[in-house]
Amino acid sequence: MSTDIIVRFTDSYVQKLGDIKKVVGLMSPKSLIQIIDTLDLDANPRNSRLGSVTDAIQASIRADELSPAQKLFPFKSKGILLASSSYEPLERGRYRLSFTPHDEVEGILDGGHNTLAIGSYILSEAELALGNRPPKKSEVSIWDSFKQTWTIRRADIEEYLSLLREDKTALKEQGISTLNFSIPVELLVPTDPSDALCVENFRTSLLEICDARNNNAQLTQGTKGNQEGLFDSFKALFVEKYPEFAGNISWKTNDGKPIESRKLVALSWIPLSLISSTVTSGDIEAPQPPLVYSGKEKCQEKFLQLMRDDRVTRASGSARRELKNPQVLSALKVATDLPGLYDEIYSRFPKYYNKTGSYGKIGAVKSLKNSRDEYRTPFFKNEAGNPVPEGFIYPLVCGLRALMEADDQGKVYWKTDPHKFLDSPAFENVVAQYSGVIQQSDYDPQKVGKGAMSYTAVENSMKLAVLMG
């Protein structure tokens, strides 16, 4: 269900080129209030965060309305870039815009920091006008927190707007903003919204425009891939399997979530390595196992290359791509098990290692100890008895590949139940043999995690364990 808002431009002009029309002008903060009410930063490659950039924006708009700083704000700032494929021109520089919730193509394409800075400023001024406590910085520091606080306190903003209408002079005398500044805004719309082909071409162009507009901030490959929809299937599988965990995965810059998506993407190459060359006729080779530990950015780059391949995904009409390859989908389903299995190995490893050596005496382990002696597993944050260096864990996790298989259709599945395997004496024996690799690597997690021998030794041990039944 779409939501309509009406925005008003002043000093505006229109440019048309092909299927895209651009309206350039100035907007009142009161129009921005409607935009914040309606939109999130779904179409923006990153979530905005308060910092030096937003401080500078607020310093400009906080200045006296007659000061040079406030007058120059529209010229110093890039402002906000909006896009809507459904719109209607109205009188007096007004436009009715229609937005669909959670549209990751239309909405605020650029200017998230401006939106956050101005929105949090309006909210603070509203509370000052009403004699209330302004929001704490933690309540507005990143977009998601700000939007939640904005929604909770929305009635206060409405009351503030009412006071502005009744007696603007009294508020000004108290040093409270009268919102008498202008915001530079660009609005992109299709040249002919009634022409389906024109609208499709318009929406297809938006991702490229968004990417180019945000290049000055050096978007990560992962953030760009997220905007293209290349992680959507992987995300959906996590939501289906572990909804709470899925809500903690960071897929875009500055979203404040604790689990790095690139770690999960790197782990996905464990099952994907069974099929990648088959799916792409050898054009895309899986990264070597040590890179799952030490080259997560490289693994992500390879993943995006795989997902952009026309044999794996197809364009969905808006420059976003949808997964169509059943073999890749099966591998990603298996990959959703790996964070939990990683945590299981993390919890068991110290106890199993102690059967052949003294885990607590390893220098790298001592350096991870804390005064509370409290530890959690990396992904699901379950209680753990000891900290474990990542370099010791990754070869064991990658070794789980020995428990997977691709069937005649090329779909990946677990041929051996991994949870039962980790509970078995067979896995204890694998750890016992692996402890020799750690010893030969001078108990250095970096040498272990980056050494090809570590991965080969573990996978061979697991293969043998599976054969022995």
Side-chain angles (χ1 to χ4, degrees):
M1 181 178 177
S2 61
T3 302
D4 291 354
I5 62 173
I6 295 176
V7 296
R8 184 178 181 181
F9 286 85
T10 60
D11 299 309
S12 65
Y13 62 91
V14 175
Q15 295 176 326
K16 293 181 183 180
L17 186 62
D19 294 313
I20 300 176
K21 179 164 74 173
K22 180 167 72 171
V23 183
V24 181
L26 302 176
M27 183 180 288
S28 160
K30 294 172 186 176
S31 284
L32 185 64
I33 289 173
Q34 294 183 67
I35 292 171
I36 295 172
D37 285 343
T38 306
L39 299 176
D40 277 309
L41 297 185
D42 297 307
N44 199 286
R46 66 178 68 77
N47 271 342
S48 299
R49 179 185 294 274
L50 292 182
S52 58
V53 173
T54 52
D55 287 346
I57 294 168
Q58 291 182 350
S60 292
I61 60 177
R62 186 179 289 112
D64 182 86
E65 62 186 50
L66 297 178
S67 73
Q70 195 176 95
K71 288 181 178 180
L72 289 176
F73 175 68
F75 304 101
K76 295 192 296 183
S77 171
K78 290 194 305 178
I80 298 167
L81 176 64
L82 295 172
S84 174
S85 61
S86 179
Y87 74 101
E88 179 187 358
L90 304 174
E91 296 177 342
R92 303 190 309 277
R94 296 176 304 147
Y95 290 83
R96 178 180 283 111
L97 309 178
S98 182
F99 295 100
T100 302
H102 307 300
D103 189 331
E104 295 184 322
V105 176
E106 299 178 21
I108 302 172
L109 303 191
D110 190 22
H113 282 89
N114 275 296
T115 309
L116 176 61
I118 297 169
S120 59
Y121 174 75
I122 292 171
L123 185 54
S124 295
E125 293 299 300
E127 300 300 15
L128 287 173
L130 300 179
N132 298 334
R133 174 186 66 80
K136 297 176 181 176
K137 188 171 182 178
S138 60
E139 295 176 312
V140 293
S141 60
I142 60 174
W143 176 264
D144 290 343
S145 301
F146 160 74
K147 188 61 182 286
Q148 185 177 16
T149 304
W150 175 276
T151 303
I152 292 169
R153 300 190 181 205
R154 184 60 179 82
D156 293 347
I157 297 169
E158 200 60 42
E159 193 172 345
Y160 170 50
L161 295 176
S162 179
L163 290 174
L164 285 174
R165 288 190 293 268
E166 292 171 6
D167 196 347
K168 186 180 291 188
T169 303
L171 291 176
K172 187 176 178 181
E173 288 173 351
Q174 297 173 49
I176 296 168
S177 175
T178 57
L179 303 185
N180 195 31
F181 57 89
S182 298
I183 305 163
V185 177
E186 296 173 70
L187 170 65
L188 302 180
V189 294
T191 305
D192 183 357
S194 63
D195 183 336
L197 181 59
C198 175
V199 172
E200 182 177 343
N201 290 339
F202 167 77
R203 282 177 59 84
T204 301
S205 301
L206 291 182
L207 185 61
E208 189 173 345
I209 293 169
C210 183
D211 184 16
R213 285 298 187 95
N214 285 276
N215 262 346
N216 64 321
Q218 297 181 335
L219 293 183
T220 65
Q221 285 297 315
T223 299
K224 291 179 181 179
N226 185 55
Q227 290 301 104
E228 293 176 62
L230 302 180
F231 299 125
D232 285 358
S233 295
F234 204 18
K235 285 188 207 176
L237 290 169
F238 275 115
V239 169
E240 181 182 350
K241 192 175 185 69
Y242 302 116
E244 187 175 348
F245 176 73
N248 289 324
I249 302 172
S250 173
W251 296 101
K252 62 192 293 186
T253 305
N254 288 341
D255 62 10
K257 296 176 181 178
I259 305 297
E260 289 185 46
S261 58
R262 65 181 193 143
K263 289 186 176 181
L264 304 177
V265 170
L267 290 174
S268 74
W269 275 109
I270 299 170
L272 283 171
S273 65
L274 293 170
I275 60 165
S276 63
S277 60
T278 304
V279 169
T280 62
S281 303
D283 296 339
I284 301 171
E285 293 289 343
Q288 292 301 307
L291 289 177
V292 177
Y293 163 65
S294 62
K296 295 179 180 65
E297 204 63 40
K298 182 67 175 178
C299 289
Q300 183 162 257
E301 184 182 321
K302 284 263 191 182
F303 181 91
L304 295 175
Q305 184 185 0
L306 175 69
M307 298 300 283
R308 288 185 179 116
D309 194 292
D310 289 335
R311 291 162 289 192
V312 177
T313 62
R314 59 170 167 255
S316 62
S318 63
R320 293 178 69 82
R321 300 184 69 87
E322 296 176 345
L323 181 61
K324 69 177 183 179
N325 187 284
Q327 291 87 9
V328 172
L329 178 62
S330 70
L332 294 180
K333 283 182 180 178
V334 169
T336 61
D337 292 324
L338 293 173
L341 293 168
Y342 186 111
D343 281 4
E344 285 187 45
I345 292 172
Y346 188 100
S347 297
R348 287 175 168 82
F349 180 74
K351 180 177 66 175
Y352 291 172
Y353 185 93
N354 276 332
K355 295 191 175 181
T356 56
S358 182
Y359 181 76
K361 291 183 179 180
I362 297 175
V365 174
K366 290 179 181 179
S367 67
L368 294 177
K369 292 278 188 178
N370 61 47
S371 57
R372 299 184 308 278
D373 204 28
E374 295 175 358
Y375 310 101
R376 297 275 175 181
T377 59
F379 290 107
F380 288 87
K381 307 305 177 186
N382 299 318
E383 289 186 12
N386 286 279
V388 185
E390 280 193 340
F392 290 168
I393 296 295
Y394 271 89
L396 291 166
V397 177
C398 289
L400 295 174
R401 184 176 185 272
L403 280 58
M404 305 171 189
E405 195 167 72
D407 63 19
D408 294 340
Q409 285 77 45
K411 294 182 180 179
V412 182
Y413 68 99
W414 290 105
K415 65 179 178 180
T416 299
D417 185 315
H419 302 287
K420 289 182 179 177
F421 179 80
L422 295 182
D423 270 335
S424 71
F427 181 62
E428 291 186 42
N429 291 335
V430 169
V431 174
Q433 295 175 52
Y434 173 56
S435 65
V437 174
I438 294 175
Q439 184 178 358
Q440 290 173 32
S441 301
D442 299 321
Y443 304 96
D444 184 342
Q446 290 282 355
K447 290 182 180 178
V448 175
K450 293 181 179 181
M453 181 183 70
S454 308
Y455 297 84
T456 302
V458 170
E459 186 166 356
N460 286 340
S461 294
M462 288 196 183
K463 283 179 179 177
L464 183 59
V466 171
L467 285 173
M468 299 292 290

